[in-house]
Amino acid sequence: QVQLVESGGGLVQPGGSLRLSCAASRSIYAMGWYRQAPEKERELVATITSGGSTNYKDSVKGRFTISRDNAKNTVALQMNSLKPEDTAVYFCAARAFGDTRWPYWGQGTQVTVSS
């Protein structure tokens, strides 16, 4: 069992920045962020393994950066040059090595990009 606690969501203007953080209750192999906009499917935003390997959704490459602190069991998502289409509920997720799905999820945090 892994508990995930998210923080950092909010309202920001287009072109602005936000930093999301997620703290896990214990060490875990991979952590990441998914998002779900109204009327849309939940989609992968970025993931990172304990070894530092990363994966990004194409539309956020160059704008978002995922990082983690293994000693603190935390993961962060730095979001720059935000666009209205980034508006969504963002979910922290985690999985153990060997998992074929992401069984652990945070409660979600709202990110709204609007003028």
Side-chain angles (χ1 to χ4, degrees):
Q1 190 69 261
V2 178
Q3 283 72 50
L4 302 173
V5 181
E6 300 149 315
S7 62
L11 174 65
V12 66
Q13 292 184 322
S17 297
L18 281 175
R19 185 178 179 88
L20 305 182
S21 296
C22 175
S25 59
R26 65 170 177 85
S27 63
I28 192 76
Y29 170 66
M31 301 180 71
W33 295 91
Y34 284 70
R35 68 187 183 188
Q36 187 167 24
E39 307 297 320
K40 301 290 187 180
E41 297 290 322
R42 188 173 297 186
E43 63 183 6
L44 180 148
V45 179
T47 63
I48 187 167
T49 69
S50 59
S53 296
T54 59
N55 185 40
Y56 294 92
K57 177 179 172 63
D58 284 347
S59 64
V60 310
K61 289 179 179 177
R63 299 189 296 121
F64 292 9
T65 302
I66 190 169
S67 61
R68 67 185 289 169
D69 185 334
N70 290 336
K72 297 179 180 179
N73 297 324
T74 59
V75 63
L77 185 68
Q78 179 66 46
M79 303 185 292
N80 299 326
S81 302
L82 282 161
K83 304 174 180 180
E85 50 262 48
D86 295 317
T87 295
V89 177
Y90 284 68
F91 297 89
C92 182
R95 68 175 179 90
F97 185 83
D99 285 345
T100 58
R101 54 183 286 272
W102 294 74
Y104 309 111
W105 294 88
Q107 73 283 359
T109 185
Q110 178 70 47
V111 172
T112 302
V113 184
S114 176
S115 298

